[in-house]
Amino acid sequence: MTLKLDKVNRGPHLSTLVASSISREIAQGRLKPGDQLPTEQALATTFGVSRNVVREAIARLRSEGRIWSQQGRGAFVVESTNPTVLTIDYEALQRADSFRNLFELRGILEVQAAALAAKRRSETDLAAMGDALAGMRAAPYGSVAWLRSDLEFHRTVAEATRNSYMGQFLVFVSERVRESILAAGNQQKSDDMARITLGEHERILTAIRAGDAEGAQAAMRDHLAGAALRVGLHDGEAAAEPASPAQEVPSPVRHSRLRKAVRGRARG
Amino acid sequence: MTLKLDKVNRGPHLSTLVASSISREIAQGRLKPGDQLPTEQALATTFGVSRNVVREAIARLRSEGRIWSQQGRGAFVVESTNPTVLTIDYEALQRADSFRNLFELRGILEVQAAALAAKRRSETDLAAMGDALAGMRAAPYGSVAWLRSDLEFHRTVAEATRNSYMGQFLVFVSERVRESILAAGNQQKSDDMARITLGEHERILTAIRAGDAEGAQAAMRDHLAGAALRVGLHDGEAAAEPASPAQEVPSPVRHSRLRKAVRGRARG
DNA sequence: AAATCAGGGTTGTATGATAACACGACAAGA
DNA sequence: TCTTGTCGTGTTATCATACAACCCTGATTT
């Protein structure tokens, strides 16, 4: 009975085809950066579709940053070929130093986000944070529900900054960090930890509620330091304080042989 | 009359606004994965735009992988797939508030990067920063060479943090900010500015060379505040202080009548 | 020479219509 | 009862046309 019947693979929309065609023209150099595209009407007739379809295709390319258009003038191929996406190599994260770096970056963002949140949070933000904390209290430490509430708390803080990019970046980084932690899968759980972690979160919320930016920063910093320990990262300083007095690394690229330094990351 | 200088307020297309709105609904959980979106007609009337605009918006969201649509059925929020790439919507950046947010994020990263760099920089880092500054001194303010040296300086600072992700993110964000500034193309240039900007950079380098984290932070903060002004962003606070007291937007779809809000865009 | 204005060309938006498709309801046939 | 065919409704996909806003250019006027 289980006929394969794979997905009604309906052909892509016309606008997609048109977008691909134009994209190909650009990729193959027939349309160079700075060049002006034919008019929408011209494209419509050459492709044999309506101007509407062409517009959807162009809207797409525009959102991808490949072309740029101005009313009354036309559409142009954008100059810079700078990457418009940022990716984090999953494998690289398995390396201890990479993980530590990402954790540090996350810390910076979280700490500053906490400060901003303390200044800009609304009542609904506070309520949402409270809810998230309640969720953590109700769930057993380390459970799925607990993790979700934890994540939710941090997400809410990010949202309270009223800066969408802050939220976007923070969620992105946090997700990568969390994945990596789960993949390593070495967490010891205890009731003490639940209590401690919860306490850290409560301090954060208290400071944010009070509008105390410095306090929120400090509380978040402490929280992350604690989290670092719980994850097996020594030196809570990852989030803030630097440590070594700038050891010299004279030559530029010198990361050879990192590999073995990694093997025993995680663990304790 | 001259005084073009109206913010970075380049008018985004209606489709961009609509796409952002829907995007926000999804991000904030009011539209959950698997949910069906309202019909195009319904969206058109609630947003107060034509169905065409809605379609362009949906086409974008579809190309971004956020929603999925099928003829005869409707459009649906795609099942949550952990994004493995981070993208910045090029068009959304044309909106002044988005730009300001990204600028703020950049500020946070730069300031913290300066602090880390002060603690971790090597001699070669310092030399590279010095070279970049020399390049700025040699080139006329605002020229291509000047901009390249400027970028190079900041890149070097990021590198001195010894945190590759910091560099990656910072470069990514800075590039977007820079592109947006160039696109707006409203900068006044003067010799004073060259001197001032150069001075700001020199202060940063001095502090980093001295290993003074707080000083580097402060210098970088000043620099960014100055840059914000030069770009037409009032309130250097973009890098630190908050602004509005978080207005509420409680109910889900309530964007009726975007129309008039848009009418008098651009121009002044 | 400079400012103003008119016109054409182009993108942005609105509107209505048609075709293709999904889905449920309902009735006819087994 | 179960299957099948048909139909009507709702939705997306596409088309076609019209108008508004805008840029650019060139002629006209000052």
Side-chain angles (χ1 to χ4, degrees):
Chain A
M1 282 307 124
T2 46
L3 206 41
K4 187 61 169 276
L5 216 349
D6 70 338
K7 273 315 173 182
V8 193
N9 209 351
R10 308 231 321 105
H13 303 150
L14 285 183
S15 60
T16 305
L17 295 179
V18 173
S20 308
S21 281
I22 299 178
S23 230
R24 197 169 341 122
E25 298 293 315
I26 296 176
Q28 298 185 350
R30 285 197 286 272
L31 279 174
K32 288 179 287 295
D35 278 3
Q36 177 166 11
L37 271 71
T39 70
E40 295 180 348
Q41 187 57 53
L43 287 173
T45 57
T46 61
F47 282 110
V49 299
S50 86
R51 197 182 141 216
N52 234 323
V53 171
V54 171
R55 279 193 59 77
E56 282 188 25
I58 287 185
R60 191 163 147 175
L61 296 175
R62 202 169 36 212
S63 84
E64 290 172 5
R66 308 175 105 97
I67 71 175
W68 155 85
S69 69
Q70 186 176 1
Q71 179 172 145
R73 286 189 52 189
F76 305 84
V77 179
V78 85
E79 300 284 350
S80 81
T81 57
N82 288 332
T84 171
V85 299
L86 190 149
T87 81
I88 287 189
D89 185 1
Y90 184 80
E91 289 220 316
L93 258 190
Q94 306 305 100
R95 295 194 347 226
D97 59 336
S98 289
F99 178 77
R100 179 183 295 266
N101 278 342
L102 193 63
F103 198 90
E104 176 176 77
L105 178 59
R106 178 200 167 195
I108 286 174
L109 290 174
E110 292 267 20
V111 168
Q112 301 303 317
L116 289 180
K119 296 273 187 184
R120 304 180 184 170
R121 82 286 182 281
S122 70
E123 285 304 321
T124 39
D125 290 328
L126 293 174
M129 293 179 205
D131 289 350
L133 271 191
M136 288 173 71
R137 264 187 224 100
Y141 180 74
S143 70
V144 174
W146 199 91
L147 284 177
R148 191 170 47 213
S149 296
D150 185 10
L151 208 62
E152 176 65 12
F153 179 84
H154 287 277
R155 202 186 62 75
T156 315
V157 172
E159 190 165 320
T161 64
R162 299 276 163 260
N163 183 331
S164 57
Y165 293 114
M166 173 68 80
Q168 205 178 333
F169 275 63
L170 206 32
V171 166
F172 182 68
V173 172
S174 299
E175 271 298 316
R176 295 293 93 67
V177 168
R178 205 171 59 93
E179 278 173 10
S180 191
I181 291 175
L182 287 182
N186 54 330
Q187 306 218 66
Q188 47 231 12
K189 309 172 182 179
S190 76
D191 289 349
D192 266 3
M193 285 199 180
R195 208 167 26 81
I196 293 176
T197 307
L198 210 47
E200 292 171 356
H201 280 93
E202 278 160 357
R203 272 190 60 207
I204 297 173
L205 176 51
T206 303
I208 290 181
R209 178 178 288 122
D212 175 10
E214 284 79 14
Q217 257 182 335
M220 180 64 85
R221 193 157 14 225
D222 288 350
H223 170 48
L224 290 171
L229 282 179
R230 290 189 285 277
V231 164
L233 233 45
H234 348 96
D235 296 339
E237 46 87 354
E241 294 300 349
S244 50
Q247 79 223 21
E248 293 301 328
V249 186
S251 161
V253 195
R254 107 108 45 26
H255 332 274
S256 50
R257 294 303 109 68
L258 298 176
R259 198 73 102 3
K260 44 186 57 144
V262 182
R263 279 292 152 252
R265 122 161 160 188
R267 227 37 61 186
Chain B
M1 23 197 73
T2 52
L3 195 59
K4 188 80 160 242
L5 189 81
D6 89 56
K7 308 307 162 342
V8 195
N9 205 357
R10 323 231 343 156
H13 303 155
L14 285 184
S15 60
T16 304
L17 295 180
V18 172
S20 302
S21 282
I22 297 178
S23 226
R24 195 169 345 121
E25 300 292 320
I26 295 176
Q28 299 187 350
R30 287 197 284 270
L31 278 173
K32 287 179 290 296
D35 278 2
Q36 176 166 12
L37 271 72
T39 70
E40 295 180 347
Q41 186 56 54
L43 287 173
T45 58
T46 59
F47 282 111
V49 300
S50 88
R51 197 178 143 228
N52 236 323
V53 170
V54 171
R55 279 194 58 78
E56 282 187 23
I58 288 185
R60 277 181 46 169
L61 296 176
R62 200 170 39 212
S63 86
E64 289 171 10
R66 309 176 99 100
I67 72 174
W68 157 84
S69 70
Q70 185 177 1
Q71 179 173 148
R73 288 188 57 189
F76 304 84
V77 179
V78 83
E79 300 295 339
S80 91
T81 121
N82 279 346
T84 171
V85 298
L86 182 64
T87 84
I88 286 191
D89 187 346
Y90 187 80
E91 279 217 294
L93 258 191
Q94 307 304 95
R95 300 214 330 249
D97 60 335
S98 289
F99 177 78
R100 181 184 292 266
N101 280 340
L102 193 63
F103 198 90
E104 175 176 80
L105 178 59
R106 177 202 168 196
I108 286 174
L109 289 174
E110 292 266 22
V111 167
Q112 301 304 318
L116 289 180
K119 296 279 186 183
R120 304 181 185 168
R121 83 287 182 279
S122 68
E123 284 304 322
T124 39
D125 291 327
L126 292 174
M129 293 180 206
D131 288 350
L133 271 191
M136 289 173 70
R137 261 187 228 101
Y141 181 73
S143 69
V144 175
W146 200 92
L147 285 177
R148 191 169 47 215
S149 295
D150 185 9
L151 207 64
E152 176 65 12
F153 179 84
H154 287 276
R155 204 186 59 73
T156 314
V157 171
E159 190 166 320
T161 64
R162 300 274 162 260
N163 183 331
S164 58
Y165 293 113
M166 174 67 81
Q168 205 178 333
F169 274 62
L170 205 34
V171 166
F172 183 67
V173 172
S174 299
E175 271 299 315
R176 297 291 95 68
V177 169
R178 204 170 60 94
E179 277 173 10
S180 191
I181 291 174
L182 287 181
N186 52 339
Q187 308 216 68
Q188 48 229 14
K189 308 172 182 178
S190 77
D191 288 350
D192 267 3
M193 286 200 179
R195 210 169 23 84
I196 293 176
T197 307
L198 211 47
E200 292 171 356
H201 281 91
E202 278 160 356
R203 271 190 59 209
I204 296 172
L205 176 52
T206 303
I208 290 181
R209 177 178 288 122
D212 175 10
E214 284 78 13
Q217 259 183 335
M220 180 64 85
R221 191 157 14 228
D222 288 349
H223 171 46
L224 290 172
L229 282 179
R230 288 189 286 274
V231 163
L233 235 43
H234 356 92
D235 297 340
E237 45 88 349
E241 293 298 350
S244 56
Q247 76 226 19
E248 294 297 331
V249 185
S251 150
V253 194
R254 106 114 41 33
H255 338 270
S256 50
R257 297 306 109 68
L258 290 181
R259 216 86 58 41
K260 40 187 62 141
V262 182
R263 277 291 154 254
R265 73 186 183 194
R267 225 37 51 195

